[in-house]
Amino acid sequence: MAEKVAIILAAGVSSRMNTKLPKVLHEVCGRPMLAYVIDACRSAGVEKMYIIVGYGKEQVIERFGDDKNIVWVEQKERKGTGHAVLCCKEYLENFDGDTLILCGDMPLIRSEIVKTLIEKHGQESAAATLATAILDNPKGYGRIIRDGYGNIQGIVEDGDCNPQQKTIKEVNPSYYCFKNKTLFEALSKITPNNVKNEYYLTDALHLIIAAGHKVVAVTAVAAEDAIGVNNRQQLSEAGKIMQRRVQDRLMKAGVTIVDPPNTWIDARAEIGQDTVIEPFTYIHGQIKIGSNCRVGPFAYLREGAILKDDVVLGVFTEVKNSTLGDGVRARHHSFIGDAVIGKNVNIGAGAITANYDGKTIHKSQIGDDVYIGPGTILVAPIDVPSGYNLKAGSVVNAGDIKKS
Ligand code: UD1
Ligand code: CA
C-alpha cells in the first residue's frame, strides 16, 4: 500500500460561528473539534499529519503541543480550501504516496469511514476518492454533480449553485484521499473563479476528473458522518450526536445510564462496570469513576474528580479535583474540592470542604472510616485522621482536630 499522510484544514476564521476563538478549538463533549479529527486519522493508521493553521494559530498549536507527528503549516491569508492545501507544497510536492484531506470542523468523522475511504482508494487504484452523503437539508454544503450515467463530474459549492443544483441532496462531506502528485498538479491550476473569490479544493477534484483520471466515491455515508460545524447550531447538533456516541460506548462497557438525554458525560470520562449514572448528572473533564458506583441524580463532577469503587454520590453533590476512596458516601448537597478522602467515609448532608480562603486553594486530607456529620464545614488545609468522628453542624479548622 502507498505511504499515507494527512492534511487537516484548520485555518479558517469562521465568521458564521461569530467567535474570537479559532473554530477548531470549540468543544464537543469536552474536547476541541480538532482532537476528534486527529484521532480519526490515527485510528485509521495515518500518523503523519500536516495541520493548516492561520487564524488563532498560536492557540491551536499550544493546545495540541509538541506532537512529533504533527507538522504545523501556516496559511498566512485565508484564500480557500485549495489554497490551504497548497500551503503544504514545500513539504509534499515530491511525495509519492497518498494524501488524505480532512477538515478540522468535522468532529463527527469516524475512523471507520476514513479506513473505508483509504481501502476503496487502494482497491480501485483511484487518483482521488471522496465520500458523499445524502442530506435532507443540504444547504451550505457543496453538491455532488453527476452525469446521466451517475458518474461524478464535480462539486459545486452552495453559493455557486444554480436553482436546479440547489435541489441536489447528495453533498460533499469533505474528506478525500488523493494520489499526492495528481493532487498538487491539479491544485497548481485552480483559480478563484467563484462567488467567494476563493481557491476551492473541490475545483482540483473537478480538474482531476476532466483530465480523465479515475475518481471514485464512498457513497451515502451516514448523514451524521457528514456534519461540518459552521455555526453554533451545528456545534450543538454535533454535540448531541457525540454525546450519544459517548454514552453508547459507556453502556457497552457495562455502565447503566438511566436517562441518556438528561445526562451529560465528557468524552474523556472513564466509568467502570455496573456503575449507575442517575438523571441530570453532569460529568465534565477527564474524570474517572470506578465500578459499582451510584452517581446522581443531579451530581456534578468536575476536572480532577476520581471516584474509586462503590462510591455513592447523591443529589446536588459536586466533586472537583478530589479522590474519593472505595465506599465513600456523599448522598446529599455536598461540595468536595481539592480533597483526598479515604475508604468508607460518610459525608453527611450538606457537609462541604471550604477549600478556598479568598486567595489560595487549600487541600483536605481525610483518612479511612471517618464520619463527617451533616452540615460540617471542613476548613482547609486540614488533615482528619482515620476513624475520626465529626459531629453534625461543626465548623472544623486544622487546630480542632485532636490527634490521639
Ligand atoms: C467545505 C467544502 C464543501 C463541503 C463542506 C463540508 C470547499 C470549497 N467546500 O465547505 O464542498 O460540502 O466543506 O463541510 O472545500 N479553511 C482553511 N483555509 C481557508 C479556508 C478554509 O484552512 O482558506 C478550513 C476551515 O478552517 C475549515 C475547512 O477548511 O476547517 C473547511 O472550510 P469551510 O469554510 O468551513 O468550508 P465549507 O464552506 O464548509
Ligand atoms: Ca465547514
Side-chain angles (χ1 to χ4, degrees):
M1 250 212 313
E3 199 189 331
K4 285 183 182 52
V5 299
I7 296 176
I8 302 177
L9 308 183
V13 177
S14 186
S15 45
R16 288 169 281 183
M17 286 284 277
N18 191 4
T19 179
K20 293 204 169 74
L21 189 71
K23 175 161 77 169
V24 295
L25 292 187
H26 280 265
E27 290 180 356
V28 168
C29 294
R31 301 179 74 208
M33 292 201 269
L34 180 57
Y36 295 97
V37 183
I38 293 175
D39 280 5
C41 279
R42 288 237 163 94
S43 312
V46 181
E47 291 291 332
K48 186 83 183 174
M49 290 171 216
Y50 297 82
I51 305 186
I52 316 296
V53 285
Y55 177 79
K57 67 176 196 308
E58 296 81 9
Q59 276 168 284
V60 181
I61 294 172
E62 195 193 316
R63 184 78 191 239
F64 292 90
D66 34 30
D67 190 317
K68 286 193 299 299
N69 286 317
I70 297 179
V71 178
W72 298 100
V73 180
E74 186 180 3
Q75 183 191 23
K76 290 210 169 71
E77 280 174 286
R78 253 60 65 204
K79 292 188 189 166
T81 50
H83 178 259
V85 174
L86 262 177
C87 293
C88 293
K89 193 169 165 183
E90 60 171 299
Y91 301 99
L92 292 177
E93 198 175 13
N94 298 316
F95 171 58
D96 204 16
D98 291 333
T99 299
L100 204 68
I101 299 183
L102 307 160
C103 296
D105 65 353
M106 306 183 321
L108 293 170
I109 181 138
R110 291 176 304 152
S111 61
E112 290 87 341
I113 301 282
V114 180
K115 272 186 206 149
T116 309
L117 197 76
I118 291 173
E119 274 164 25
K120 179 134 190 176
H121 186 76
Q123 282 160 5
E124 303 261 357
S125 301
T129 306
L130 69 153
T132 77
I134 312 286
L135 297 188
D136 286 340
N137 178 12
K139 195 167 177 281
Y141 291 85
R143 309 296 205 284
I144 306 289
I145 309 296
R146 292 179 183 267
D147 66 15
Y149 301 99
N151 299 315
I152 293 178
Q153 292 181 305
I155 296 165
V156 179
E157 289 309 301
D158 190 59
D160 299 304
C161 280
N162 64 34
Q164 188 272 327
Q165 290 167 332
K166 286 248 186 213
T167 64
I168 297 172
K169 294 198 160 167
E170 187 178 25
V171 305
N172 167 32
S174 159
Y175 27 99
Y176 325 80
C177 190
F178 286 96
K179 266 199 181 120
N180 183 72
K181 288 204 160 159
T182 314
L183 169 68
F184 277 88
E185 228 174 81
L187 281 174
S188 67
K189 295 184 194 136
I190 58 171
T191 53
N193 59 341
N194 49 62
V195 290
K196 284 196 180 165
N197 204 24
E198 286 185 355
Y199 293 86
Y200 289 161
L201 173 59
T202 43
D203 284 351
L205 204 72
H206 181 83
L207 289 178
I208 292 170
I209 295 168
H213 294 294
K214 188 172 186 185
V215 174
V216 297
V218 174
T219 52
V221 301
E224 63 177 56
D225 289 312
I227 292 178
V229 174
N230 292 328
N231 56 44
R232 309 260 180 177
Q233 286 79 2
Q234 287 166 332
L235 182 68
S236 76
E237 203 183 321
K240 224 189 250 173
I241 294 169
M242 188 68 78
Q243 183 57 216
R244 210 190 58 223
R245 289 186 189 172
V246 168
Q247 296 191 13
D248 282 348
R249 168 171 54 80
L250 291 167
M251 289 193 269
K252 278 199 193 110
V255 177
T256 293
I257 300 171
V258 175
D259 185 4
N262 290 307
T263 302
W264 193 96
I265 303 176
D266 197 297
R268 297 163 298 171
E270 291 168 36
I271 307 181
Q273 195 181 29
D274 289 321
T275 282
V276 178
I277 308 293
E278 300 272 12
F280 303 104
T281 292
Y282 189 78
I283 295 173
H284 188 266
Q286 202 163 358
I287 66 103
K288 288 197 175 108
I289 301 175
S291 43
N292 281 312
C293 295
R294 185 165 281 270
V295 179
F298 299 100
Y300 179 26
L301 270 65
R302 289 164 53 198
E303 197 57 73
I306 299 173
L307 313 189
K308 302 285 170 122
D309 299 334
D310 307 302
V311 171
V312 180
L313 284 194
V315 284
F316 301 111
T317 292
E318 173 177 344
V319 179
K320 169 229 153 188
N321 195 28
S322 297
T323 300
L324 277 56
D326 292 345
V328 168
R329 298 169 308 281
R331 290 184 195 273
H332 342 258
H333 300 264
S334 281
F335 167 65
I336 301 161
D338 306 282
V340 176
I341 300 180
K343 292 182 183 162
N344 300 317
V345 170
N346 184 89
I347 300 172
I352 64 162
T353 52
N355 59 332
Y356 183 57
D357 60 12
K359 288 198 188 80
T360 316
I361 299 263
H362 298 285
K363 296 201 155 67
S364 302
Q365 181 86 35
I366 294 159
D368 295 339
D369 304 304
V370 171
Y371 170 82
I372 301 171
T376 299
I377 297 176
L378 291 161
V379 182
I382 193 163
D383 186 346
V384 183
S386 289
Y388 214 83
N389 194 323
L390 291 166
K391 295 214 166 44
S394 32
V395 175
V396 188
N397 287 279
D400 302 327
I401 303 290
K402 292 173 199 64
K403 301 258 160 83
S404 56

